[in-house]
């Protein structure tokens, strides 16, 4: 844990969870988060995705892609304006292939009773009703 940049972050708890199952058990998980937040000076409903994990023996078999496609479906049904996730550099290509793009603006969130710029991981967005402009997104709460 000493080398993980996000080890001291306070995270939100998922509002919904998606599991991909097979071979007698769960193989992959994705957490979904609903957040009324601010994009520039506009109030928005963000569909967040976090905690995407696939068991080692099930990787490279499409489990995470399946979970992400289901997450997008649920976010659209919920009426989210756009999707937002945070990821490490080695995972960006996976999400790009699913229609997500690196967000060029700043993301702000709550940490230790104050609002901070959340720049320890890449933010990626998925346009649902619209794509956020590259300005500031304030999560108005904890990151996911």
């Amino acid at each position: 844990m000493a080398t993980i940049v996000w080890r001291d972050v306070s995270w939100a708890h998922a509002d919904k969870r998606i599991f991909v199952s097979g071979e007698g058990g769960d193989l992959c998980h994705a957490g979904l988060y609903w957040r009324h937040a601010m994009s520039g000076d506009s109030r928005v409903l963000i569909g967040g995705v976090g905690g995407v994990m696939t068991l080692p023996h099930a990787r490279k078999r499409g489990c995470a892609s399946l979970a992400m496609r289901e997450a997008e479906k649920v976010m659209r049904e919920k009426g989210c304006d756009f999707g937002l996730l945070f990821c490490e550099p080695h995972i960006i290509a996976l999400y790009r292939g699913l229609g997500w793009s690196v967000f060029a603006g700043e993301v702000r969130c709550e940490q230790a009773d104050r609002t901070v710029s959340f720049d320890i991981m890449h933010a990626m967005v998925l346009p649902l009703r619209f794509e956020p402009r590259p300005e500031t997104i304030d999560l108005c709460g904890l990151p996911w």
Side-chain angles (χ1 to χ4, degrees):
M1 286 297 290
T3 61
I4 298 175
V5 297
W6 44 263
R7 71 184 175 279
D8 296 323
V9 172
S10 293
W11 301 98
H13 295 284
D15 294 302
K16 183 176 181 73
R17 297 184 184 280
I18 294 171
F19 292 92
V20 175
S21 300
E23 301 173 11
D26 294 326
L27 302 174
C28 180
H29 163 273
L32 293 179
Y33 305 78
W34 317 129
R35 182 69 58 82
H36 290 281
M38 298 298 294
S39 179
D41 58 1
S42 300
R43 190 147 172 84
V44 294
L45 176 60
I46 299 174
V49 178
V52 179
M53 295 176 269
T54 303
L55 292 175
H57 73 275
R59 292 181 183 153
K60 305 286 186 203
R61 295 180 15 204
C63 294
S65 295
L66 181 61
M68 293 300 294
R69 283 192 294 276
E70 182 64 19
E72 179 180 351
K73 177 183 165 197
V74 173
M75 289 187 291
R76 286 186 186 282
E77 290 169 355
K78 182 85 172 166
C80 295
D81 294 308
F82 57 88
L84 178 73
L85 61 79
F86 302 99
C87 70
E88 296 181 27
H90 68 279
I91 308 173
I92 290 174
L94 167 71
Y95 295 125
R96 272 200 178 123
L98 294 167
W100 294 74
S101 59
V102 174
F103 181 63
E106 177 187 22
V107 176
R108 299 189 58 75
C109 67
E110 298 299 317
Q111 286 293 292
D113 299 325
R114 60 190 167 93
T115 301
V116 299
S117 181
F118 193 74
D119 56 5
I120 62 170
M121 298 175 80
H122 293 281
M124 298 189 77
V125 294
L126 177 69
L128 298 170
R129 293 171 48 146
F130 63 85
E131 184 165 3
R133 286 183 240 135
E135 50 194 8
T136 299
I137 296 173
D138 186 342
L139 297 181
C140 300
L142 296 172
W144 45 80

